[in-house]
Amino acid sequence: KTYDLCWCNGTASSCLLEADFSVRLGPLHFGGPSAQQAASVEICRAGMPCSVVDFEGQAIRNGSRLVVLPQDPRGCVWQRVSEADPPGLMDFPNIGVSETFDQATRSYSFYGDPLI
């Protein structure tokens, strides 16, 4: 399954609303790894805590977050159509919103209480 991976810098906004994650980092693909991939690829399972470690990039600071959104033509500007729609991806911890970036471990983790 493929999702859009979006970023919020944590300084221009609170990273609490879908609209705060307006920078698209690219697609996030989930699937079963081959034996060769398993040695070098982090595996995240829906509904379980997950960490993206050794995250590299420009201007990545404590306070920034990742969000996993449904794949949609609108990309990272996805928002619920109505209040009846789920506020995020119900199969992901914290409905798809990561904890804030940890500069010491260069990682984003998906767990905790829902923010949205």
Side-chain angles (χ1 to χ4, degrees), residues 51-66:
S51 292
V52 178
V53 297
D54 298 323
F55 194 91
E56 296 292 332
Q58 299 298 315
I60 307 297
R61 303 279 186 262
N62 286 343
S64 67
R65 296 178 188 260
L66 298 177

Side-chain angles (χ1 to χ4, degrees), residues 29-114:
H29 303 282
F30 279 85
S34 67
Q36 187 176 24
Q37 291 172 322
S40 63
V41 174
E42 292 289 328
I43 299 170
C44 295
R45 298 191 192 286
M48 301 294 292
C50 172
S51 292
V52 178
V53 297
D54 298 323
F55 194 91
E56 296 292 332
Q58 299 298 315
I60 307 297
R61 303 279 186 262
N62 286 343
S64 67
R65 296 178 188 260
L66 298 177
V67 69
V68 179
L69 296 173
Q71 190 173 22
D72 187 281
R74 296 170 288 173
C76 291
V77 296
W78 173 88
Q79 291 183 358
R80 294 185 284 177
V81 175
S82 77
E83 290 296 316
D85 292 337
L89 295 175
M90 303 310 287
D91 289 341
F92 278 79
N94 205 30
I95 56 176
V97 179
S98 73
E99 299 297 317
T100 57
F101 182 69
D102 183 333
Q103 248 178 329
T105 61
R106 302 209 49 81
S107 66
Y108 290 99
S109 294
F110 292 88
Y111 54 85
D113 297 325

Side-chain angles (χ1 to χ4, degrees), residues 2 9 11 23-24 31 34 42 65 68 71 84 112 115:
T2 302
N9 74 5
T11 59
V23 177
R24 183 176 187 271
S34 67
E42 292 289 328
R65 296 178 188 260
V68 179
Q71 190 173 22
L115 296 175

